Amino acid sequence: MTLVRPQPGTTFAVVGALAFAGCLIFGSADFSGDLANYASTAVALLAGVACLARAARLAGRLRLAWGAFGLGSLSYAVGEGTRTWTESIRGQEVPGPGLPDVGHLGMVLLIAVGLLFVPVPRQTIVNRVRNVIDALMIATSLLLISWIFVISPLFAQGSVASPAGSVALAYPVGDIILVTAALSMLALLRRGHPDTASLTLIAAAMLVIGVSGTIFAYAELSVGFIASEVPDIGWYLGFTLVFLGARRGAQQTEAHPAEPAGSRPFAILMPYAVVLSVLVFSIVWFAVHGHGDAFYSWCRSALILIIVARQLLTLLENRQLTATLESRVTTRTAELLASEQRSRALVSQSSDSVAVLEGDSTIRFQSDSVERIFGWPAQTLLGSRLIDIAGPQAGPVIAAALEEAGAEPYAVITVEVPLAHRDGRVRVAEMTITNLLGDPSVGGFVLNTRDVHDAHELQNQLVHEAYHDALTQLASRALFAEHLDEAMRVRPGPEVAVLFLDLDGFKEVNDSLGHAAGDHLLVQVAGRIRESARDGDTVARFGGDEFAVLVRSVVARADTEAVARRIVAAIGRPFIVMGRELHVSASIGIAVASEAADLQQLLRNADLAMYQAKTAGGGGWAGYHPRMHDLLVDRLALEADLRLALDRDEMVLHYQPTVDLRTGEVVGFEALVRWQHPVRGLVSPLDFIPAAEATGMIVQLGRWVLTQACRQAVAWARPVRMAVNVSVRQFDRDDLAETVAAVLAETGLPARRLCLEMTESVLMTDTEENLAQLRRIKALGVTLAMDDFGTGYSSLAYLRRYPMDILKIDRSFVQRLGGDSRDTALVRTIVDLGRSLGMETVAEGIELPQQLAALQTMGCDFAQGFLLSRPVPATEATHLLNAGLSSRLVFA
Ligand code: C2E
Ligand code: CA
Ligand code: CA
């Protein structure tokens, strides 16, 4: 059990009050009168000190308020003490007006001012005005009462005229001020104040002092005499309350947080209650005593006026409040309306149709958007069971989905079903079913349905695009890989083989006839491969001129070779593209799945085999052999070595003479590069020139050959012409003409003694740029030769357009000479063509005397070939130049 320690202030006040009461009841009149005086003086003194002490601990307006309370109490104590001292010690009446009156009225003034200083929460102007009106209302009512009981009798005595009388009048007026201030204070405090408890005590003290003062004055006036200690009860009680208020505040103010706003009704009704009770009382009084005067009437009229004013104010305030409220309600309503319209619009305009279904799929709600999406007005669907009207295909799917979603609250299931549009089309719809059966605001399945038909179509199209080659409609690499993967998974199963096919000479077609012609050709090639393959085989285009065939159920390798043979034959037949007859061939590589670890390796093997077929001259097939891997590794090693070959001085030039067919004299040499490899021995340019071209090494190598050849030509000191081969890749760089000029300047070889040989590919790729370069080289005075003429597709138009001086008839034509008369005719045509274009003709690869004889008869200008001389090192070439050809006999 906890002992509640009573506060010392309260104990003191209670003990004091008891002692005071005891004295009043049991003491003699004289003694108790003095005692009462001293007691109230002492309490006022204590209250004043307590208030000031409290003020010292506070700040701001509260400090001023408590200071005023303290000074007021002290003011009273001084006045009352002086009077008691004078009366009891000197035994004489104090004539008024004097210091006691000043003390008393000073107390009234100071405490009233103190109450004004009490800080209140911020208020609106209207509130402040109302507070003033309320105070006026209370004061007027009190004035009326005071008039009846005190003031009017004072006037009746006629003592008001004297100075002492007017001071006597000040007392009731002071009481009115105190009570008014106290009541107003109480009304304000009800609205919440951190210091409510202590301030309420102060207000109560003022009430007690004011009321008891008035009662005392009335008693004295009407009865004539009362015991002097009676009013002291009021003072004593009042200042005890002030003391308690000051003490209480000191102990609790800081600890208490702001109390919540009190009930407004008290603040509003209290002034009315005062007015009402006063009015009722005055009417009763008037009725009993039957007299009233002008002041009495004035007071009542003033009261009525004030009440009306207050009423008006309240009315105004209410109207303003209503207006604010109305506008807020209007705004909120508008907001709500807008948001509802938005959600309605969302439901009806969304690409989704929203529906709410009962447990058995009966449509309870259906958004209007369904009409826009599927053509059906929402009304026609309401009440029907969705699983009945969705159609034979969609119905069961939806039923199953509803059952699945129904099993778990808030489950969400999405299905795709075909739904009939009202116009008859069948559309793919995506339905999302949400189980809100347990949600009290929905109580059903929510169904969001979207038309995803177009998206589906697009998806299918995209898949088709990804899996098919747009040009040939064959399978794409992706689809081929998928089929191959499937076929390879069936193990043990039928053997699977891949044919990898690359066209020979396709680039030339594309370059010379344009891409449209190239595409045309590819479509026809695709058709022929398709025809050559069997029904179950997958034919794919991997891009460019690369094709692949997946051969399933291969009994033996021979089967696949049969397919390859058919393809080679089919492609060997001429194609008609844009009215022209074209000849292409195909190089095919064959690889079987049993020889590969996986799909990737199988494709690599087929690719390797194809490369092999191509290297062998094209127009045929090669089966994969593990040794091909070594060849590949070999090639890569060769490329690596090639990068170092020039620095290591491993390149050498051999020279093959060009002979005048009429005289048999050596008129020039063609420089042919060889690679003196430390391990491999002499490597043919056929084996490393492609690698040099692929790696870009050819530019460096080309310049080295050119310089070397020119130097040799100068060294020979005979007016022989030096022919140097130039790769089409050397034209990729813009500075070929500059390089040639620089080498000529460096070596001192006259430009006319240099001949640059190039194949038709130079004329067919990047034609405009290459033409410009050729013109610049030609402008140097260098001779230009068209190498390997007849193997490419260069048209006569090209020949006319390009500044070529020499036509070199390819070895393949020369070798056919002497046999078929048609071949002989062809070579003759070429020789005639060259002559008609003003070009010299050189026949390459003459191995047999009859070939030489035939060319002589045709009037071909020059000749090259093993029959005359193989390409030989420089020293031998020098010898040849000096001694002449041993095969000169042929010319005899
Ligand atoms: P090409 O320009 O057509 O050179 C003629 C090729 O035919 C030479 O082969 C030569 O040895 C060979 N040949 C000459 N007479 C006969 C004959 O009667 N019968 C046979 N069967 N062949 C004969 P080589 O030296 O192996 O050169 C091959 C190709 O390498 C050349 O063909 C040329 O395109 C290229 N090449 C050689 N040297 C260079 C070079 O320095 N630069 C460039 N870019 N290419 C070069
Ligand atoms: Ca050549
Ligand atoms: Ca040639």
Side-chain angles (χ1 to χ4, degrees):
M1 197 184 135
T2 23
L3 269 173
V4 180
R5 232 182 100 225
Q7 294 175 10
T10 318
T11 320
F12 169 79
V14 170
V15 170
L18 285 175
F20 186 71
C23 289
L24 285 181
I25 296 162
F26 304 109
S28 71
D30 265 9
F31 171 72
S32 64
D34 285 348
L35 186 76
N37 279 342
Y38 280 122
S40 54
T41 303
V43 172
L45 203 68
L46 276 173
V49 171
C51 285
L52 287 177
R54 164 125 218 254
R57 284 193 302 272
L58 290 167
R61 293 180 57 137
L62 259 182
R63 174 184 216 155
L64 289 178
W66 283 100
F69 297 155
L71 288 178
S73 303
L74 288 182
S75 167
Y76 174 84
V78 169
E80 193 61 17
T82 314
R83 191 177 53 179
T84 311
W85 173 261
T86 321
E87 282 178 2
S88 60
I89 303 299
R90 301 234 211 107
Q92 57 187 100
E93 273 288 315
V94 179
L99 191 59
D101 300 311
V102 173
H104 186 101
L105 294 175
M107 178 271 289
V108 171
L109 215 71
L110 281 166
I111 290 195
V113 167
L115 287 174
L116 280 181
F117 275 123
V118 171
V120 289
R122 278 183 68 86
Q123 298 189 61
T124 59
I125 296 280
V126 180
N127 259 338
R128 282 169 205 261
V129 172
R130 200 190 23 231
N131 289 341
V132 170
I133 290 178
D134 284 354
L136 273 175
M137 227 152 91
I138 294 166
T140 314
S141 309
L142 294 176
L143 185 61
L144 191 62
I145 290 288
S146 194
W147 176 259
I148 291 171
F149 290 107
V150 183
I151 303 174
S152 138
L154 272 176
F155 271 103
Q157 277 184 347
S159 58
V160 187
S162 71
S166 47
V167 169
L169 200 63
Y171 279 83
V173 172
D175 290 337
I176 291 170
I177 292 172
L178 277 182
V179 174
T180 304
L183 288 176
S184 305
M185 191 66 218
L186 283 173
L188 273 179
L189 288 178
R190 292 299 297 230
R191 296 154 129 235
H193 195 281
D195 215 8
T196 302
S198 49
L199 287 173
T200 304
L201 283 172
I202 297 291
M206 297 307 106
L207 258 180
V208 167
I209 291 171
V211 169
S212 68
T214 303
I215 291 172
F216 165 61
Y218 169 68
E220 212 169 36
L221 279 168
S222 53
V223 182
F225 163 80
I226 58 159
S228 70
E229 53 264 50
V230 174
D232 282 317
I233 301 171
W235 304 124
Y236 186 85
L237 212 67
F239 284 109
T240 303
L241 288 172
V242 170
F243 173 75
L244 288 178
R247 297 292 300 162
R248 185 184 176 92
Q251 281 156 354
Q252 300 200 350
T253 304
E254 290 77 21
H256 267 285
E259 283 171 29
S263 51
R264 290 277 290 159
F266 176 82
I268 294 166
L269 294 179
M270 190 270 289
Y272 286 103
V274 173
V275 169
L276 204 71
S277 47
V278 165
L279 278 179
V280 167
F281 177 79
S282 70
I283 286 163
V284 171
W285 178 268
F286 184 76
V288 174
H289 298 270
H291 71 268
D293 51 33
F295 188 82
Y296 174 83
S297 308
W298 272 109
C299 260
R300 290 215 327 207
S301 306
L303 257 182
I304 289 163
L305 262 178
I306 293 168
I307 290 170
V308 169
R310 186 178 153 137
Q311 221 38 47
L312 267 173
L313 193 75
T314 311
L315 209 75
L316 272 174
E317 209 184 4
N318 280 351
R319 278 200 52 181
Q320 200 187 331
L321 228 121
T322 317
T324 331
L325 212 73
E326 262 176 15
S327 83
R328 279 170 72 176
V329 168
T330 314
T331 319
R332 186 79 193 106
T333 311
E335 278 172 17
L336 279 173
L337 208 73
S339 98
E340 191 182 321
Q341 271 169 353
R342 255 201 311 278
S343 54
R344 266 182 182 285
L346 270 178
V347 168
S348 66
Q349 292 304 309
S350 79
S351 52
D352 282 20
S353 143
V354 181
V356 177
L357 310 183
E358 312 264 329
D360 66 346
S361 92
T362 303
I363 301 170
R364 197 205 306 151
F365 166 81
Q366 174 59 65
S367 68
D368 293 335
S369 48
V370 73
E371 184 167 359
R372 196 168 33 74
I373 304 167
F374 294 106
W376 306 98
Q379 286 301 321
T380 61
L381 303 175
L382 285 179
S384 311
R385 293 203 325 160
L386 180 63
I387 53 174
D388 296 337
I389 60 172
Q393 245 188 300
V397 178
I398 297 170
L402 284 174
E403 196 181 317
E404 194 187 337
E408 194 192 327
Y410 300 101
V412 180
I413 305 253
T414 302
V415 288
E416 270 182 13
V417 287
L419 286 184
H421 191 280
R422 201 184 189 189
D423 63 14
R425 290 176 299 151
V426 173
R427 313 286 294 171
V428 176
E430 183 192 88
M431 274 186 181
T432 303
I433 297 166
T434 310
N435 176 2
L436 293 183
L437 284 167
D439 189 316
S441 60
V442 180
F445 289 107
V446 172
L447 188 73
N448 291 68
T449 311
R450 281 199 292 161
D451 181 341
V452 292
H453 199 88
D454 295 339
H456 248 247
E457 295 274 89
L458 183 65
Q459 166 99 16
N460 289 342
Q461 213 175 316
L462 288 178
V463 168
H464 184 88
E465 289 281 306
Y467 278 158
H468 291 88
D469 172 49
L471 178 66
T472 62
Q473 292 309 313
L474 292 179
S476 69
R477 184 192 285 265
L479 184 60
F480 185 87
E482 226 165 76
H483 283 189
L484 182 56
D485 190 48
E486 273 169 33
M488 284 177 79
R489 269 172 208 283
V490 189
R491 290 281 168 90
E495 178 63 290
V496 178
V498 167
L499 266 72
F500 198 78
L501 183 152
D502 189 284
L503 289 183
D504 307 318
F506 174 73
K507 188 172 167 19
E508 283 74 15
V509 175
N510 230 8
D511 289 342
S512 59
L513 302 180
H515 288 283
D519 286 354
H520 239 264
L521 178 64
L522 286 175
V523 172
Q524 293 187 45
V525 167
R528 291 193 192 174
I529 299 174
R530 180 69 275 167
E531 285 163 18
S532 311
R534 300 168 311 173
D535 278 351
D537 302 340
T538 302
V539 179
R541 177 175 171 229
F542 278 15
D545 59 349
E546 289 180 0
F547 296 84
V549 183
L550 168 59
V551 183
R552 270 176 273 233
S553 316
V554 191
V555 184
R557 205 179 172 125
D559 267 11
T560 321
E561 288 186 354
V563 175
R565 196 176 302 121
R566 281 205 297 276
I567 294 175
V568 168
I571 291 179
R573 300 199 309 271
F575 291 89
I576 307 293
V577 172
M578 295 176 156
R580 295 175 66 128
E581 193 180 288
L582 290 181
H583 293 267
V584 287
S585 58
S587 298
I588 300 176
I590 300 170
V592 288
S594 56
E595 282 176 349
D598 58 16
L599 184 150
Q600 301 302 332
Q601 200 189 343
L602 177 56
L603 287 174
R604 259 202 314 275
N605 290 350
D607 190 25
L608 266 179
M610 187 279 291
Y611 186 81
Q612 186 65 30
K614 189 148 278 218
T615 316
W621 71 88
Y624 169 76
H625 191 281
R627 209 184 50 230
M628 288 175 182
H629 261 300
D630 305 340
L631 290 176
L632 177 69
V633 171
D634 203 46
R635 195 174 87 217
L636 294 174
L638 186 91
E639 278 179 20
D641 285 354
L642 189 60
R643 290 175 198 283
L644 305 167
L646 266 184
D647 291 339
R648 290 179 180 168
D649 217 8
E650 291 169 3
M651 292 296 174
V652 284
L653 288 187
H654 283 192
Y655 301 91
Q656 187 177 35
T658 310
V659 177
D660 190 323
L661 270 178
R662 282 164 296 168
T663 63
E665 258 183 277
V666 174
V667 292
F669 287 92
E670 178 178 2
L672 294 159
V673 71
R674 272 99 183 86
W675 181 6
Q676 189 65 59
H677 192 278
V679 181
R680 298 168 197 251
L682 205 63
V683 185
S684 155
L686 290 173
D687 292 334
F688 67 85
I689 290 290
E693 286 182 336
T695 56
M697 271 291 297
I698 192 70
V699 174
Q700 229 183 312
L701 179 63
R703 187 178 172 135
W704 180 86
V705 170
L706 188 64
T707 313
Q708 207 59 25
C710 289
R711 243 180 228 148
Q712 186 57 62
V714 171
W716 279 325
R718 294 246 202 131
V720 286
R721 192 188 291 167
M722 180 60 79
V724 176
N725 293 284
V726 180
S727 159
V728 66
R729 296 273 79 86
Q730 288 172 264
F731 279 82
D732 290 350
R733 301 212 0 187
D734 294 334
D735 60 358
L736 183 60
E738 285 69 35
T739 304
V740 173
V743 170
L744 287 175
E746 187 187 318
T747 56
L749 183 71
R752 64 187 155 74
R753 283 181 53 197
L754 177 65
C755 173
L756 294 183
E757 296 189 3
M758 62 210 70
T759 59
E760 289 159 292
S761 59
V762 171
L763 310 190
M764 288 184 262
T765 45
D766 301 324
T767 42
E768 291 310 314
E769 284 84 353
N770 288 357
L771 180 56
Q773 293 218 58
L774 279 177
R775 290 215 171 107
R776 277 191 280 148
I777 295 168
K778 178 85 185 147
L780 296 172
V782 174
T783 308
L784 299 179
M786 168 111 303
D787 210 350
D788 302 344
F789 182 76
T791 54
Y793 297 90
S794 62
S795 64
L796 297 180
Y798 272 114
L799 271 186
R800 283 201 188 89
R801 199 166 159 214
Y802 286 87
M804 293 292 163
D805 306 293
I806 296 170
L807 204 59
K808 292 189 79 172
I809 303 164
D810 191 67
R811 198 171 73 218
S812 57
F813 295 103
V814 174
Q815 278 167 351
R816 283 187 275 170
L817 279 177
D820 196 326
S821 61
R822 270 191 306 175
D823 290 336
T824 313
L826 182 60
V827 177
R828 181 172 290 125
T829 312
I830 295 173
V831 172
D832 290 348
L833 168 77
R835 197 180 297 134
S836 73
L837 286 173
M839 297 164 87
E840 296 177 339
T841 46
V842 181
E844 292 187 289
I846 299 171
E847 292 178 358
L848 303 169
Q850 55 264 42
Q851 292 165 346
L852 186 89
L855 287 159
Q856 274 177 318
T857 340
M858 285 173 198
C860 183
D861 301 311
F862 305 101
Q864 259 182 298
F866 291 171
L867 176 70
L868 304 167
S869 167
R870 287 187 171 259
V872 290
T875 41
E876 269 182 60
T878 312
H879 181 74
L880 271 181
L881 201 55
N882 294 334
L885 292 173
S886 56
S887 57
R888 233 180 166 156
L889 304 164
V890 197
F891 294 89

